[in-house]
Amino acid sequence: MIFTETKLKGAYVIDVARIADNRGFFGRSYCTNEFEEYGLNTNIVQTNVSYNKKKGTLRGLHTQNAPFEETKLVRCTRGAIYDVIVDLRPASETYKQWIGAELTADNYRMLYVPEGFAHGFITLEDESDVTYQVTQFYTPQTEQGFRWDDPAFSINWPIQPQIISEKDQHHLLFKNNIAV
């Protein structure tokens, strides 16, 4: 695997190192030893799948609060998404900054999302599937969300959302590390 740290410390774009021949290619999408070499959390306890019918479906921004903060490893297995993470660690030098990465079924790229980040994505194609492995079990009472268009983050989404759940439409705005 090829690990590329983003401008947000601890967050990585991970590409599959491909060994190709006339059949196609072989590569690893997860290896505990390689993740541990980078000091990354390997305690995967749950794998989630998100099926999205239409291009322009937006999910997020989601996070789980302490003591159930989770690390995520996100991959698009069909279609394409623009995956976004926001650093919500108050002591971080990149606090409230965001990055986005295009994850597609064809590029096999993954995004490693550390604890303390909000996460969301928008589908770039119809029929997009997203798989994410997480290090905490889903705990609804610790879930928190922030608006996808929150001016505190100024995320530059590549397309305008067409479908947003009722729940995600009513997330609160973020201001100075508190929902307002």
Side-chain angles (χ1 to χ4, degrees):
M1 289 177 288
I2 303 163
F3 292 78
T4 305
E5 190 166 19
T6 71
K7 72 176 187 175
L8 307 177
K9 187 166 178 53
Y12 286 82
V13 171
I14 303 171
D15 289 295
V16 174
R18 300 176 189 197
I19 302 168
D21 62 22
N22 63 341
R23 298 169 295 175
F25 76 86
F26 173 84
R28 255 188 302 280
S29 63
Y30 182 80
C31 175
T32 297
N33 290 340
E34 289 183 56
F35 273 64
E36 285 176 348
E37 285 178 32
Y38 287 86
L40 305 181
N41 190 338
T42 61
N43 186 37
I44 304 297
V45 299
Q46 187 171 297
T47 301
N48 304 317
V49 177
S50 171
Y51 166 70
N52 305 275
K53 289 184 194 179
K54 296 290 183 188
K55 175 181 177 177
T57 299
L58 188 133
R59 295 182 184 257
L61 298 164
H62 303 143
T63 188
Q64 280 194 188
N65 295 319
F68 298 102
E69 293 175 302
E70 62 188 4
T71 295
K72 295 179 182 178
L73 181 61
V74 183
R75 180 171 171 233
C76 182
T77 56
R78 178 170 58 161
I81 65 168
Y82 187 71
D83 204 34
V84 171
I85 59 175
V86 180
D87 187 349
L88 296 180
R89 303 170 297 181
S92 173
E93 59 196 34
T94 56
Y95 178 59
K96 295 197 297 184
Q97 293 182 29
W98 66 275
I99 60 134
E102 191 168 318
L103 309 180
T104 73
D106 293 334
N107 71 15
Y108 295 88
R109 180 166 283 164
M110 297 169 280
L111 186 60
Y112 178 87
V113 185
E115 292 179 7
F117 282 70
H119 172 254
F121 64 85
I122 191 164
T123 58
L124 302 175
E125 296 180 8
D126 290 345
E127 307 289 330
S128 290
D129 291 335
V130 181
T131 299
Y132 39 106
Q133 297 168 288
V134 295
T135 59
Q136 288 287 343
F137 295 105
Y138 176 61
T139 311
Q141 62 271 23
T142 67
E143 182 181 41
Q144 186 172 12
F146 298 101
R147 286 188 47 99
W148 64 276
D149 59 351
D150 195 319
F153 310 133
S154 298
I155 296 169
N156 184 20
W157 297 93
I159 63 173
Q160 188 66 27
Q162 302 301 309
I163 301 170
I164 304 173
S165 73
E166 188 72 24
K167 181 178 176 181
D168 285 351
Q169 287 180 46
H170 292 96
H171 285 314
L172 300 173
L173 293 175
F174 183 94
K175 185 174 183 177
N176 299 323
N177 199 26
I178 56 170
V180 292

